[in-house]
């Protein structure tokens, strides 16, 4: 079965600095990869996805992610962090077009002024 | 406005009682999902439904039940057989074809006293 790992529980960055939230995955077929963000006591919001095509995917709020097949990674990045980016970020994976989406445990991003 | 509505937002239950969480969507989406969120564990799939009158178990279906009598509605019942029901429950929908862009409700926080 597919799985995803987010190795960092917490990431702290200063406002204006670049940020990276890491994600690695495991699938037997073609990976469909996703990033979601969650603000306190709210549902998740979709940020971006990789299905096929260009390895660099751009999403909402200036976020982007790079698909790296050899390293089985899909790290989330942003060139300049904002305090308002502080939230819980989830990476998710599907094995090809199946219905079962697996989420990572989440990484809490804190951006300090 | 289109979206997913979960109710109630907060719910308290005594041990041994069943409780039903409501999830309604007006997005005309085919697929609907129930996830459970616990701190540090990410989201775990309870049940999902691709079409009306059909649903499948996820990883942690024991102690839960669902129905999908209407496209718009996917209620989740937490039964007394669920040994540790205190959690944050998230409902999501997706417009078929496994696009990966799940639309989440605001969640229901269940506390068992």
């Amino acid at each position: 079965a597919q799985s995803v790992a987010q190795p960092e529980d917490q990431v702290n960055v200063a406002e204006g600095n670049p940020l990276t939230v890491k994600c690695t995955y495991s699938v037997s077929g073609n990976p469909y990869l996703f990033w979601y963000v969650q603000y306190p006591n709210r549902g998740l919001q979709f940020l971006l996805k990789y299905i096929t095509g260009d390895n660099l995917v751009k999403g909402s709020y200036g976020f982007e992610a790079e698909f790296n097949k050899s390293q089985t990674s899909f790290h989330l990045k942003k060139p300049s962090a904002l305090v308002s980016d502080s939230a819980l970020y989830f990476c998710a994976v599907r094995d090809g077009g199946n219905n079962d989406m697996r989420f990572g445990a989440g990484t809490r991003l804190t951006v300090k002024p | 406005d289109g979206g997913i509505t979960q109710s109630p937002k907060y719910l308290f239950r005594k041990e041994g009682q069943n409780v039903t969480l409501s999830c309604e969507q007006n997005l005309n989406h085919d697929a609907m999902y129930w996830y459970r969120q616990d701190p540090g564990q990410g989201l775990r799939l309870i049940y999902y439904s691709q079409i009306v009158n059909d649903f499948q178990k996820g990883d942690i279906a024991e102690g839960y039940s669902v129905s999908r009598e209407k496209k718009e509605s996917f209620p989740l019942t937490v039964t007394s057989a669920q040994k540790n029901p205190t959690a944050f429950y998230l409902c999501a929908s997706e417009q078929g074809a496994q696009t990966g862009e799940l639309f989440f409700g605001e969640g229901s926080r269940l506390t068992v006293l």
Side-chain angles (χ1 to χ4, degrees):
Chain A
Q2 64 270 33
S3 65
V4 62
Q6 294 181 242
E8 301 158 316
D9 293 334
Q10 175 88 34
V11 170
N12 298 314
V13 298
E15 188 174 30
N17 283 359
L19 69 87
T20 299
V21 182
K22 296 180 180 178
C23 172
T24 58
Y25 66 89
S26 174
V27 298
S28 56
N30 293 323
Y32 289 15
L33 296 156
F34 311 89
W35 277 101
Y36 287 82
V37 60
Q38 184 181 35
Y39 298 98
N41 295 312
R42 305 291 295 274
L44 278 67
Q45 297 176 33
F46 171 81
L47 279 180
L48 52 80
K49 67 180 178 183
Y50 172 84
I51 304 294
T52 186
D54 194 347
N55 290 345
L56 184 63
V57 178
K58 294 188 183 297
S60 306
Y61 313 119
F63 284 94
E64 58 188 30
E66 186 168 11
F67 170 64
N68 188 317
K69 188 174 182 178
S70 63
Q71 298 184 5
T72 61
S73 67
F74 190 58
H75 301 331
L76 181 70
K77 300 181 180 184
K78 187 173 183 181
S80 179
L82 300 173
V83 173
S84 58
D85 292 331
S86 298
L88 189 58
Y89 290 82
F90 290 96
C91 183
V93 64
R94 267 184 168 145
D95 192 342
N98 73 30
N99 299 114
D100 188 358
M101 181 177 288
R102 298 296 178 106
F103 286 81
T107 298
R108 185 164 302 282
L109 172 69
T110 301
V111 181
K112 298 184 178 180
Chain B
D1 287 340
I4 297 183
T5 302
Q6 288 187 242
S7 63
K9 192 171 178 65
Y10 298 96
L11 186 61
F12 297 89
R13 180 193 103 176
K14 293 182 179 180
E15 281 192 22
Q17 290 181 334
N18 292 356
V19 62
T20 298
L21 307 180
S22 171
C23 179
E24 303 278 334
Q25 55 102 355
N26 60 5
L27 299 166
N28 199 34
H29 285 175
D30 295 312
M32 296 186 74
Y33 303 81
W34 274 105
Y35 288 91
R36 170 179 170 143
Q37 184 177 15
D38 295 284
Q41 294 193 47
L43 277 68
R44 292 181 291 168
L45 183 64
I46 305 173
Y47 269 98
Y48 67 96
S49 169
Q50 292 295 103
I51 57 173
V52 174
N53 292 322
D54 187 50
F55 48 83
Q56 285 77 42
K57 294 181 179 180
D59 292 331
I60 57 166
E62 185 175 353
Y64 299 98
S65 66
V66 294
S67 63
R68 186 88 186 274
E69 297 177 1
K70 299 184 299 181
K71 188 175 186 178
E72 309 81 45
S73 179
F74 192 42
L76 173 73
T77 297
V78 185
T79 75
S80 57
Q82 169 49 235
K83 298 187 186 314
N84 185 20
T86 295
F88 190 52
Y89 290 88
L90 288 163
C91 180
S93 72
E94 179 186 24
Q95 187 175 5
Q98 295 87 36
T99 64
E101 296 182 38
L102 300 186
F103 288 77
F104 282 85
E106 295 290 277
S108 293
R109 187 167 297 281
L110 172 62
T111 302
V112 174
L113 304 173

